[in-house]
Amino acid sequence: MAMRRVASTAARAIASPSSLVFTRELQASPGPKKIVGVFYKANQYAEMNPNFLGCAENALGIREWLESKGHQYIVTPDKEGPDCELEKHIPDLHVLISTPFHPAYVTAERIKKAKNLQLLLTAGIGSDHVDLKAAAAAGLTVAEVTGSNTVSVAEDELMRILILVRNFLPGHHQVINGEWNVAAIAHRAYDLEGKTVGTVGAGRIGRLLLQRLKPFNCNLLYHDRLKMDSELENQIGAKFEEDLDKMLSKCDIVVINTPLTEKTKGMFNKERIAKLKKGVLIVNNARGAIMDTQAVVDACNSGHIAGYSGDVWYPQPAPKDHPWRYMPNQAMTPHISGTTIDAQLRYAAGTKDMLDRYFKGEDFPAENYIVKDGELAPQYR
């Protein structure tokens, strides 16, 4: 059974005194399940588009289907603190669905409380809001809708590169403020052609970004744990850089496309940022915690980073006093790149497909698994 908590997983966890061990009955029982979805609240916007499925009000469009099968479907945006709505349902839920855009942080403590929990689904890409080691030790399955927002995020990254390179935002602000000062924009506006662009991570999103950049005649570099097939490299026109810091020192523009793991958390600290070209532009739609928050602020204030753009923060939602809101030359937004209407349709359909497979005891598409049978996917090891 795809969701069965295997005995070997529990045996491995019990054998390791250093691991966080939770003992559960290993079963994927038939019958009604309690499913909890955590999504952002859309308020008046929920009714403006029938395909706006990623909000709490429309709840991936699967309520009628789930309830027709006898399952209970609880949806809430309230996810933080000991008295939140999510916390009330932790002890008896079977499935928890969340998104990267309004993540329900699934800590080891919550996993320990969730005696019936079998499946953690991410409607989208990126499951770092889950304590993956604790989930593996508990025999849980963690899965996401791989590929559902690849196009959406890659397109957004390309947009942000152009916004920074062309110094777009100051001009836009001039229009809003009734101003007209061409010199204030033009003194730091450039062409993208001929610039060196490097992506840290070249999975589905990173590769697609490189493909989208090829017509701009840039010098394209990438660093990844895996080298692309040489034929694909030639088609894209990208060069593999095994040494990350050597690649970064060459780049006019750096794009972050690596998942958040123990290895990548805080990867861009003060020391690494100092190795970048002075005046570098950075786009980060991966995860905010890959960056040292204050190091980015300091580098933007000094001009070492000439522009920083992205849609990921830590934590999310970002507090009003988050320093990235107020640093110079930033083009930040809320976490929106992967939740276009097109992406919502894809990850809603993918979530429904995995739930259907779960009810039937069938395997998911292999690429969707983040934790299965006590093992983490390679990118999270």
Side-chain angles (χ1 to χ4, degrees), residues 4-140:
R4 190 173 299 278
R5 298 180 179 194
V6 295
S8 60
T9 301
R12 284 196 300 272
I14 293 168
S16 174
S18 62
S19 63
L20 186 56
V21 179
F22 305 130
T23 57
R24 314 281 181 89
E25 288 189 15
L26 308 180
Q27 60 180 1
S29 59
K33 296 291 187 289
K34 181 173 183 178
I35 298 155
V36 175
V38 177
F39 311 108
Y40 54 80
K41 195 167 180 60
N43 299 308
Q44 72 270 26
Y45 303 105
E47 298 180 357
M48 291 185 175
N49 188 329
N51 292 324
F52 187 4
L53 301 180
C55 59
E57 290 86 347
N58 296 328
L60 302 182
I62 57 176
R63 179 178 296 282
E64 184 176 345
W65 172 70
L66 285 172
E67 293 179 348
S68 72
K69 293 181 174 294
H71 303 297
Q72 184 182 10
Y73 189 32
I74 305 293
V75 174
T76 180
D78 186 20
K79 63 188 179 73
E80 303 291 345
D83 299 320
C84 71
E85 185 66 20
L86 171 60
E87 202 70 25
K88 298 174 186 177
H89 300 286
I90 290 290
D92 63 345
L93 58 79
H94 297 92
V95 179
L96 177 60
I97 307 170
S98 185
T99 74
F101 319 106
H102 188 73
Y105 293 104
V106 184
T107 61
E109 291 74 20
R110 279 181 164 171
I111 290 172
K112 190 173 183 179
K113 293 177 186 176
K115 304 299 183 183
N116 293 336
L117 181 59
Q118 297 173 324
L119 175 61
L120 292 160
L121 286 178
T122 300
I125 302 173
S127 298
D128 49 89
H129 55 281
V130 177
D131 185 326
L132 297 176
K133 286 188 175 180
L140 300 175

Side-chain angles (χ1 to χ4, degrees), residues 78-353:
D78 186 20
K79 63 188 179 73
E80 303 291 345
D83 299 320
C84 71
E85 185 66 20
L86 171 60
E87 202 70 25
K88 298 174 186 177
H89 300 286
I90 290 290
D92 63 345
L93 58 79
H94 297 92
V95 179
L96 177 60
I97 307 170
S98 185
T99 74
F101 319 106
H102 188 73
Y105 293 104
V106 184
T107 61
E109 291 74 20
R110 279 181 164 171
I111 290 172
K112 190 173 183 179
K113 293 177 186 176
K115 304 299 183 183
N116 293 336
L117 181 59
Q118 297 173 324
L119 175 61
L120 292 160
L121 286 178
T122 300
I125 302 173
S127 298
D128 49 89
H129 55 281
V130 177
D131 185 326
L132 297 176
K133 286 188 175 180
L140 300 175
T141 296
V142 182
E144 57 190 43
V145 190
T146 298
S148 59
N149 51 22
T150 298
V151 171
S152 311
V153 176
E155 287 184 355
D156 188 272
E157 288 176 341
L158 178 55
M159 174 188 73
R160 291 174 191 274
I161 290 171
L162 289 167
I163 283 172
L164 293 178
V165 169
R166 302 306 295 264
N167 203 26
F168 173 82
L169 281 181
H172 179 61
H173 292 154
Q174 282 188 23
V175 171
I176 293 171
N177 296 330
E179 302 169 355
W180 190 279
N181 186 347
V182 173
I185 307 162
H187 80 284
R188 58 192 306 271
Y190 297 88
D191 295 338
L192 179 54
E193 184 176 44
K195 303 300 182 290
T196 297
V197 183
T199 176
V200 182
R204 289 176 175 82
I205 294 170
R207 287 196 304 270
L208 185 58
L209 173 66
L210 292 170
Q211 290 172 324
R212 295 287 195 265
L213 284 168
K214 184 178 181 180
F216 287 89
N217 296 321
C218 302
N219 179 29
L220 301 177
L221 307 176
Y222 74 96
H223 171 82
D224 195 86
R225 61 190 178 85
L226 299 174
K227 190 177 185 296
M228 290 183 206
D229 176 85
S230 58
E231 184 178 348
L232 180 60
E233 266 192 353
N234 291 334
Q235 289 175 356
I236 296 174
K239 180 184 175 184
F240 176 67
E241 294 280 346
E242 186 172 2
D243 187 305
L244 174 60
D245 288 323
K246 284 185 179 180
M247 182 190 83
L248 293 174
S249 68
K250 302 174 185 177
C251 292
D252 303 301
I253 302 157
V254 174
V255 186
I256 314 301
N257 275 310
T258 188
L260 177 62
T261 67
E262 290 183 0
K263 293 179 180 178
T264 63
K265 186 175 183 179
M267 172 188 282
F268 281 80
N269 54 21
K270 180 179 179 180
E271 291 72 26
R272 176 155 278 145
I273 289 173
K275 298 176 183 178
L276 304 177
K277 277 187 177 182
K278 181 175 174 56
V280 69
L281 305 176
I282 299 178
V283 171
N284 179 16
N285 280 2
R287 287 296 182 267
I290 293 170
M291 317 299 290
D292 179 315
T293 299
Q294 191 58 47
V296 171
V297 174
D298 293 344
C300 284
N301 284 330
S302 72
H304 193 83
I305 295 177
Y308 185 92
S309 184
D311 69 338
V312 287
W313 310 68
Y314 186 78
Q316 290 188 186
K320 290 184 178 180
D321 61 352
H322 196 293
W324 287 359
R325 292 180 182 268
Y326 309 105
M327 63 189 183
N329 301 319
Q330 57 88 359
M332 296 295 295
T333 67
H335 196 169
I336 57 169
S337 64
T339 189
T340 63
I341 296 299
D342 302 283
Q344 289 178 47
L345 290 169
R346 290 189 292 265
Y347 65 68
T351 302
K352 182 178 179 181
D353 175 69

